[in-house]
Amino acid sequence: MSKKMKMLQILNLWRLIPAYLIVCASNNKAIIFEEIQHWKKCTRRTEKARFDIFSSLMLELKEYRTLLQYRLGGGVQQIIAKNVVSRYGYPVYQYS
């Protein structure tokens, strides 16, 4: 993980940790974690830790954030996810 990505991860921990906990508590967590590995291969990520892969996908790819919202389904989890996992991103999310 590059220094820039690590800094973005630290600045966004307040968003990443709740999102990761929602994923861990989700009924679809097995599918989501399989998809994380698939996205890792597709985007040629070098991170080893699952949270680091999740973080980099969340920070860089709005497509992944949208997919994650879809996978979390309806109900309370989706309401929380919409507030934590933004499809549109914020300035701190953007990585160039």
Side-chain angles (χ1 to χ4, degrees):
M1 183 177 273
S2 70
K3 288 182 181 184
K4 187 174 183 177
M5 179 54 74
K6 195 65 170 171
M7 181 59 75
L8 281 173
Q9 183 184 33
I10 291 168
L11 290 173
N12 283 283
L13 280 177
W14 66 278
R15 263 189 275 224
L16 294 169
I17 290 173
Y20 192 73
L21 293 175
I22 291 169
V23 168
C24 290
S26 170
N27 295 334
N28 295 329
K29 72 178 175 183
I31 293 169
I32 294 170
F33 286 133
E34 286 177 20
E35 286 178 342
I36 287 173
Q37 293 303 315
H38 175 73
W39 279 73
K40 177 186 175 187
K41 290 177 188 174
C42 291
T43 58
R44 298 182 180 146
R45 302 268 173 217
T46 58
E47 296 92 351
K48 302 239 185 272
R50 192 185 299 180
F51 183 75
D52 289 341
I53 300 165
F54 175 79
S55 297
S56 63
L57 291 172
M58 289 285 290
L59 293 170
E60 290 182 351
L61 302 172
K62 71 179 178 180
E63 298 88 353
Y64 181 75
R65 293 191 296 268
T66 303
L67 175 64
L68 184 60
Q69 279 188 348
Y70 173 76
R71 288 288 181 230
L72 290 174
V76 175
Q77 285 182 340
Q78 189 172 23
I79 292 169
I80 295 169
K82 281 186 179 182
N83 291 319
V84 175
V85 183
S86 171
R87 278 186 231 184
Y88 308 109
Y90 295 96
V92 179
Y93 261 141
Q94 294 173 357
Y95 176 79
S96 307

